[in-house]
Amino acid sequence: MSSRRADAIAEARRLRRPRARRHRLIRSFRLQVMLLVGVLLAAMLLAQGAYLNHRQAEIIGDQMGERALAVALSVATIPELIEAFSHDDPAATIQPIAERIRRETGARYVVVGNTEGLRYSHPLPERLGLPMVGGDNDRALLHGESYVSEATGSLGEAVRGKTPVRDAEGNIVGIVSVGFMLDRVAMDVGRHTSLGWWLVGAMILLGFAGAYALSRHLKQVILGLEPHEIARLAMEKEAILQSIHEGILAVNGEGQITLVNQQARRFLGLPPECEVLGRPIQELVPNSRLLEVLERGEQQFDQQMWLGDHPVVVNRVPVIHADEIEGAVATFRSRREIVELSNALTAASRDVDMLRAQAHEFSNKLYTISGLLQLERIEDALALIHQESERAQAQMSFLMGHVADPVISGTLLGKLTRARELGVSLEIDDQSSLATPLTPDGQEVLMTVIGNLLDNACHAALQGERRRNEGPRVRLFFTDLGEQLLLEVEDNGPGVAAEHLEAIFREGFSTKPGKHRGIGLALVARLSREHGGEVTLEESELGGACFTVVLDRSLCRSPASAEH
């Protein structure tokens, strides 16, 4: 059973491969373009060739008729021929003249007859004296017209030029008929038009070759993709652009908008039905610097700007093709979201640092206690335990009695532990007080401000020369007893140089070595401004720097909500 099944599967695959190849061939973009262009060109050339050859055949036929008529008119004016009509035997004179002219002009026949249609000349002498055949002599004999006609005579179907013969007084005395056989005309037409058909065939072949070259070039231009693949990529690109969280805005070389996704519309405050494609970028974003990117071709990363009421961080890059700037693309994301994420990461990092510091400190204490117990110094071990417990209890008691917000209490406790681990004496002023719990926004702001200021102060205290005598010290004071929240953080470090006073709160500026610096104080300054306060720098009583932060009391809960 398995063998038969394998054979059946192999046979089905063998039969399916040609179908798949035929399906791919039918859907091939190159084949479609080549057939479309080639067939259209062939149809146009065939139609044009047929028309031109038909017209050429008509012209050649008309020319043969005109030639027959011209020969007939020439014969009808020969004096000897006209005079022969008055002789007793006109054929004796007319037959030699007509035959000579027939041979010279290449006509099939030159027939001269009298008014009764009896022949005086004919290529076949035995037919002299017999009536002319065709029935088309009346116009010449009765009405005196000269004309071209097609009729079947004694020698076959021919195109004939006919004209009357007139005597000296103008009377019609006979008729001249000069004929060219239609099969001879057809041969002449075929000979003259065959070259045209050969040219048409050559142009069709050349057209198919050009269609093949064009289809190959187009295939290269579209990177070897088929139309359905391009359509799928376009749909996937649109779905990706609309689903990503960053705003994307693209312009062409003239500064006109060519792409804007839904997130960008949200930042710009544009309704979904608002059509913006093709509009100048300055109409939507007056402070956009995409035009600078178009002019200079320089990339710009992590630039800050405002889009309406949204502070955003923007990246701008030029679109370059063949060393020519063809457009530019800007991507932007909300700075508020970045700040919120940074705050969350800072809080998580702070918690991790606190736990690590506590684990390190208690590990050292446990090793010490273990050593004392191994030395049977039980009373010393108990004293150390009581000392550590009293110190922790004192810190906890102070924080519980002076700080009503548990989040800030946890932050301060972590910073105390971290400072001890670093070897810095962190003192909290006994007059410090935070009697009212904070709002969630107030907790985030105060954690960020306290955390950054204490970290900077500990780092500065470790760098100060005074620590050789008294050790690194940091002092913290905070209160909410007035109309505002007030925080002071001072250290005994080297302080801030005079030339750095104006730049110390600028983002990216730092006196510390290494990358990714200059964020903490800039963040403190921005949060202070956003919450109705400010941050100032002055010399500390400890000899280093003293940072004072004032914040609006709206960060505290109202009494009613606090009681609730």
Side-chain angles (χ1 to χ4, degrees):
M1 289 294 290
S2 59
S3 177
R4 286 198 296 272
R5 180 179 298 175
D7 293 341
I9 293 174
E11 181 66 18
R13 289 177 177 174
R14 186 183 64 81
L15 294 175
R16 190 165 52 194
R17 285 195 194 101
R19 288 199 211 102
R21 283 194 294 268
R22 286 195 298 270
H23 184 66
R24 287 195 299 269
L25 190 62
I26 292 173
R27 297 182 65 183
S28 173
F29 176 70
R30 286 182 58 182
L31 181 62
Q32 290 176 359
V33 171
M34 186 178 69
L35 288 179
L36 177 63
V37 176
V39 169
L40 286 178
L41 184 60
M44 292 174 58
L45 289 173
L46 287 173
Q48 187 176 16
Y51 172 75
L52 293 177
N53 286 335
H54 176 70
R55 285 294 300 151
Q56 188 176 14
E58 288 183 344
I59 292 172
I60 293 174
D62 293 342
Q63 288 178 347
M64 296 295 285
E66 295 296 330
R67 180 180 174 187
L69 181 59
V71 173
L73 291 172
S74 299
V75 172
T77 57
I78 297 175
E80 292 86 353
L81 186 140
I82 296 173
E83 184 181 353
F85 277 89
S86 60
H87 296 170
D88 294 335
D89 186 9
T93 304
I94 295 175
Q95 174 72 359
I97 296 174
E99 283 300 297
R100 177 173 55 80
I101 294 174
R102 182 183 68 81
R103 289 190 294 269
E104 292 176 354
T105 59
R108 181 64 183 86
Y109 56 83
V110 176
V111 176
V112 180
N114 60 14
T115 55
E116 297 173 355
L118 299 178
R119 299 187 185 108
Y120 290 155
S121 67
H122 195 276
L124 301 177
E126 63 272 14
R127 296 185 182 181
L128 294 177
L130 297 177
M132 300 173 67
V133 178
D136 55 350
N137 293 336
D138 291 344
R139 292 172 60 189
L141 294 176
L142 300 179
H143 303 290
E145 298 179 11
S146 298
Y147 54 92
V148 177
S149 68
E150 292 184 9
T152 303
S154 59
L155 297 178
E157 190 175 6
V159 56
R160 310 195 283 192
K162 290 182 177 288
T163 186
V165 180
R166 298 176 183 271
D167 59 12
E169 288 78 18
N171 298 318
I172 297 175
V173 296
I175 184 173
V176 177
S177 178
V178 177
F180 291 89
M181 305 308 293
L182 287 180
D183 56 353
R184 169 73 180 279
V185 175
M187 291 177 60
D188 292 342
V189 170
R191 186 172 63 254
H192 286 88
T193 58
S194 61
L195 178 60
W197 285 115
W198 279 108
L199 290 176
V200 168
M203 293 301 295
I204 289 175
L205 292 177
L206 185 61
F208 271 100
Y212 174 78
L214 175 62
S215 64
R216 184 175 181 181
H217 173 69
L218 291 178
K219 190 75 170 180
Q220 292 175 348
V221 170
I222 60 178
L223 305 178
L225 299 174
E226 296 294 334
H228 65 278
E229 294 174 334
I230 296 175
R232 187 185 71 248
L233 288 177
M235 291 187 292
E236 290 176 354
K237 171 201 157 190
E238 185 65 20
I240 292 171
L241 289 176
Q242 300 303 334
S243 63
I244 61 178
H245 195 59
E246 290 189 351
I248 299 179
L249 188 65
V251 298
N252 58 18
E254 289 74 35
Q256 298 172 338
I257 297 174
T258 57
L259 184 146
V260 56
N261 68 347
Q262 294 298 327
Q263 188 71 0
R265 286 178 175 271
R266 185 177 71 83
F267 281 127
L268 296 171
L270 299 174
E273 63 276 5
C274 180
E275 184 59 44
V276 298
L277 299 183
R279 293 173 58 183
I281 182 64
Q282 295 294 348
E283 291 186 7
L284 294 182
V285 190
N287 57 339
S288 174
R289 299 178 63 184
L290 276 176
L291 296 181
E292 295 182 10
V293 177
L294 288 176
E295 293 176 1
R296 303 176 184 175
E298 298 177 353
Q299 299 177 347
Q300 299 178 359
F301 295 106
D302 297 330
Q303 302 292 313
Q304 299 184 26
M305 64 177 295
W306 286 81
L307 289 178
D309 297 332
H310 297 277
V312 295
V313 178
V314 186
N315 296 322
R316 307 179 186 93
V317 294
V319 178
I320 300 177
H321 178 69
D323 297 330
E324 294 290 335
I325 300 176
E326 296 187 353
V329 178
T331 61
F332 36 86
R333 57 193 184 277
S334 174
R335 180 172 173 78
R336 293 172 182 169
E337 295 177 358
I338 297 175
V339 171
E340 291 174 0
L341 179 60
S342 176
N343 291 340
L345 291 175
T346 301
S349 177
R350 187 180 300 116
D351 294 339
V352 171
D353 289 341
M354 180 184 69
L355 292 174
R356 184 174 62 249
Q358 289 179 343
H360 184 269
E361 181 180 6
F362 282 105
S363 176
N364 291 333
K365 294 291 176 34
L366 287 175
Y367 282 127
T368 302
I369 294 171
S370 175
L372 291 174
L373 292 175
Q374 292 179 26
L375 295 173
E376 297 183 356
R377 305 289 296 271
I378 298 175
E379 293 185 359
D380 292 338
L382 291 174
L384 180 61
I385 293 172
H386 289 309
Q387 176 185 348
E388 182 64 24
S389 176
E390 289 174 359
R391 183 180 60 77
Q393 187 64 36
Q395 291 178 349
M396 292 294 296
S397 299
F398 175 83
L399 293 176
M400 292 179 63
H402 292 77
V403 181
D405 193 283
V407 174
I408 303 303
S409 296
T411 300
L412 293 175
L413 185 60
K415 290 300 177 183
L416 287 168
T417 304
R418 178 60 177 168
R420 282 200 307 274
E421 183 184 40
L422 294 174
V424 177
S425 174
L426 174 57
E427 307 168 5
I428 300 179
D429 194 289
D430 294 339
Q431 303 299 319
S432 298
S433 173
L434 187 61
T436 306
L438 301 174
T439 63
D441 190 27
Q443 291 174 346
E444 290 288 338
V445 172
L446 217 59
M447 278 196 305
T448 302
V449 171
I450 292 175
N452 282 290
L453 290 179
L454 288 179
D455 288 344
N456 287 342
C458 289
H459 183 273
L462 290 171
Q463 303 300 318
E465 294 183 358
R466 296 179 182 84
R467 65 186 175 90
R468 298 176 182 174
N469 301 324
E470 58 181 2
R473 295 177 58 197
V474 174
R475 182 184 298 164
L476 170 65
F477 171 76
F478 54 86
T479 183
D480 64 342
L481 297 180
E483 296 297 326
Q484 294 174 314
L485 289 175
L486 177 65
L487 294 94
E488 284 186 0
V489 177
E490 52 185 331
D491 59 71
N492 65 343
V496 179
E499 62 269 19
H500 297 156
L501 291 178
E502 295 183 0
I504 193 69
F505 296 110
R506 189 172 65 233
E507 185 170 353
F509 176 83
S510 176
T511 58
K512 304 174 186 177
K515 298 181 180 180
H516 309 295
R517 299 289 187 178
I519 298 176
L521 290 178
L523 184 59
V524 170
R526 185 179 63 80
L527 290 175
S528 301
R529 291 192 300 270
E530 289 179 355
H531 293 86
E534 62 178 351
V535 56
T536 57
L537 170 63
E538 57 187 15
E539 186 176 353
S540 168
E541 295 178 356
L542 301 178
C546 177
F547 290 90
T548 303
V549 178
V550 178
L551 298 171
D552 191 87
R553 193 175 171 78
S554 61
L555 296 176
C556 298
R557 296 181 186 270
S558 62
S561 62
E563 292 174 3
H564 179 73

